[in-house]
Structure formats: structure tokens, C-alpha cells
Amino acid sequence: MTVSDPVVEDVVSTISRTATEIRQGLVGRRGTVDEENPSGETQAEADIWADELLEGRLTEIDGIGEYASEERATVVDCGADPDGDAYAIACDPLDGSSNLKSNNAMGTIFGVYDAALPARGDTLVAAGYVLYGPITTMVLATEESVSVYEMSGGERRLVQSDVTLPEEPVVYGFGGGVSNWPDEFEAFAREIETELKLRYGGAMIADVNQVLTYGGIFGYPGLESRPAGKLRLQFEGNPIGYVVERAGGRSSNGHRSLLTIDPDDLHERTPVHVGNAELIDRLEDRPT
Ligand SMILES: O=P(O)(O)OC[C@H]1O[C@](O)(COP(=O)(O)O)[C@@H](O)[C@@H]1O
Ligand SMILES: [Mg+2]
Ligand SMILES: [Mg+2]
């Protein structure tokens, strides 16, 4: 099934082809390099490599005006104007790349914004992620629906359309470390852990995919030591918020939808909570 917007279709098929190469190219690129990304985190060899592959391909697409990623300081200008007819793409080339060491799941996240970056999440026209699990899958949310594809040989094959979160939540995963959680979040987490089953793997994409599959909640809260949390709004929070909201769930920074935050900076961080609406409502009901 192709996406009705031809530029978005071009982006999605380019990411499908590139993701297959990224997956194969992880072999031999598990080490870190002596560089930090704009968020001050040590980069893996694979982070830089995946970013360069995606940048090279996506900036060639007609109708794409900007490319930005977690791994580069500034927006790449590709000529067309995202405040006019063109779109802007924001990527997390490898989400969860610290899992390379232990060979656990990782992903590639993308958002297609109809605005110059940094942009609000409610200007997204599509967003999704590739999950490098035992099977490489893509979850794609557009204005029309949320679909799941299995990827093989650079092609994507639809396996589920009109995806919605299961009504009965089953799993939860919260990042950041209990000793670093603010008291209010800890109290919420204590409640949730008596109701749901823990699933936390250290790659947001893999953890969110469990929430989408089984129902539940994923959160990376603001921390005592870092009130804005760890995850980045443009590359992680917004795309994942868009996917989960399109699938009938909710996203939040603890107070309101991630998609309604006016960004000040390309690399700004935000607390991220996504999942079944009833659970996100309960989280927001607690004063923080
Ligand atoms: O190691 P922690 O604190 O649990 O952090 C895990 C979180 O960090 C991330 O790995 C950050 O993403 P990157 O790997 O793209 O920097 C998330 O995927 C994940 O949810
Ligand atoms: Mg990430
Ligand atoms: Mg990353």
C-alpha cells in the first residue's frame, strides 16, 4: 500500500531501502567514536554512519526542503522552503544505539513536518519508525491511518492497517532511574507497577512498540538531575507522539500533548509519556 501524498511516499520508500542497509551495516560498527552529538552524548560509529546515509538520500527528494537529525548540530537546507510547499524531515538515525553493545533492539525514527525546523508536532504530516528486532518492521502514521509493514530486501509489505492501541493496557516502561525520579512521578509509577507488567529495554522505539502492540504506557520523565528529561522533542517526542495519538492514544510532557509544544531549539529535550489515554490522563492529574 502506498501513501497518497507522493512526497511522503518517496520519503517512506527511501527510508525503507536505507533501513535495510543500516541494519546490514551495523555489523562491524558497534564501537563508539571520540565525538559527542549536539546533546552531549558519545556517538557510536553507527550513529554517524546511519545519519550520513539518511541525509544523502533524503535531501535528494524533490519536495524536501530541510533535513535535521539528532547527530548534527544544524539543519541541512536542501533548497525548497518548508514554510512554502516543501516538507522538512527530522530523524533519530539510530534510537537506542547504546544497545549495540549488548545486541538488543534499536530503531530509526522519522518525522515529516510541514514547517521549517524546529517545528511543533502538530505540523507533522507523517511520522514513523523502523524497528530492528528479530524482524525489521516499520510503523507508519499518516493523516489517514497507522500501518505496520514488514521489511525485506528494501521493500515494505503491509501486515496490519488501521492500527489502534488495545483498550486494556498490559505493559509499562519508565526510564531515567527510580532514585532520579521526582516524588510525584515515583508515586504514579508505584501505582502503575501494581497494575501492569514491566517491559523496559533501553530503546524508546522498542518499548513504545510494545505499548502499541499490547497497550500500556511508556515514559521518560523529567529527572531531579535533568528536569527536561533525556529525549528530544523534534527527533523522538514529536514523531512518537504523533504515531501514538494517531493510533488512538495520548502523548504528554506531563501537562499537555507533546504535539502542542512550541519549540525553542532544534535539540531541546522534553519529558515524554505516551500510551493509552486513560493512563496519560491519570499521569497529568498529578501536580508536578
Ligand atoms: O539508558 P536510559 O537512561 O534508560 O535511556 C534510554 C533511552 O535513551 C535512548 O536510547 C535515547 O535515544 P538515542 O539512543 O537515540 O540517544 C532512548 O531510546 C531510550 O528510551
Ligand atoms: Mg533516540
Ligand atoms: Mg539516536
Side-chain angles (χ1 to χ4, degrees):
M1 191 178 84
T2 55
V3 179
S4 60
D5 181 320
V7 177
V8 174
E9 174 54 36
D10 216 347
V11 168
V12 170
S13 46
T14 300
I15 291 173
S16 304
R17 284 198 310 279
T18 310
T20 304
E21 280 175 63
I22 291 175
R23 175 165 199 138
Q24 284 161 354
L26 295 174
V27 177
R29 291 192 175 88
R30 294 173 76 177
T32 55
V33 293
D34 204 10
E35 301 281 342
E36 286 187 348
N37 70 11
S39 305
E41 291 159 355
T42 302
Q43 290 176 301
E45 218 180 311
D47 285 323
I48 298 173
W49 176 72
D51 174 48
E52 284 173 0
L53 262 185
L54 289 165
E55 187 252 356
R57 309 263 168 90
L58 294 171
T59 56
E60 289 292 303
I61 296 174
D62 276 347
I64 296 304
E66 292 183 346
Y67 170 85
S69 99
E70 193 178 271
E71 305 304 338
R72 55 182 70 223
T74 55
V75 174
V76 178
D77 181 349
C78 344
D81 180 9
D83 283 329
D85 288 344
Y87 295 144
I89 302 182
C91 283
D92 179 353
L94 280 180
D95 176 60
S97 53
S98 63
N99 277 355
L100 270 169
K101 188 172 177 180
S102 55
N103 189 26
N104 285 97
M106 291 186 323
T108 294
I109 310 174
F110 59 96
V112 184
Y113 293 85
D114 189 10
L117 298 171
R120 279 169 61 111
D122 53 16
T123 66
L124 284 162
V125 295
Y129 57 86
V130 176
L131 174 60
Y132 307 108
I135 298 165
T136 306
T137 52
M138 177 188 279
V139 174
L140 173 66
T142 63
E143 284 167 352
E144 291 130 32
S145 69
V146 181
S147 309
V148 180
Y149 300 87
E150 286 181 356
M151 324 263 279
S152 176
E155 301 296 322
R156 67 186 208 276
R157 187 174 68 87
L158 182 69
V159 290
Q160 201 186 343
S161 51
D162 298 323
V163 175
T164 54
L165 258 83
E167 264 172 45
E168 274 304 308
V170 175
V171 299
Y172 77 96
F174 298 135
V178 182
S179 61
N180 213 345
W181 287 344
D183 292 346
E184 278 307 321
F185 183 78
E186 186 177 346
F188 173 74
R190 291 292 175 227
E191 234 175 76
I192 295 296
E193 71 189 13
T194 65
E195 300 169 23
L196 306 180
K197 196 161 64 171
L198 172 62
R199 290 287 172 92
Y200 189 78
M204 178 184 73
I205 252 5
D207 295 328
V208 168
N209 200 60
Q210 301 219 43
V211 169
L212 208 57
T213 307
Y214 300 115
I217 182 168
F218 167 83
Y220 204 112
L223 304 176
E224 297 284 2
S225 63
R226 194 195 254 177
K230 180 178 187 187
L231 301 175
R232 282 130 298 211
L233 181 64
Q234 298 296 297
F235 313 111
E236 293 163 318
N238 277 341
I240 241 45
Y242 183 86
V243 169
V244 173
E245 290 196 19
R246 279 280 177 274
R250 286 204 55 211
S251 78
S252 178
N253 67 350
H255 303 281
R256 60 199 172 98
S257 164
L258 293 170
L259 308 184
T260 65
I261 298 173
D262 288 308
D264 294 320
D265 182 75
L266 185 63
H267 294 276
E268 81 184 46
R269 299 178 194 266
T270 178
V272 168
H273 305 277
V274 291
N276 286 67
E278 165 257 322
L279 297 172
I280 303 291
D281 290 347
R282 274 170 59 190
L283 170 89
E284 286 181 349
D285 283 345
R286 289 173 179 274
T288 47

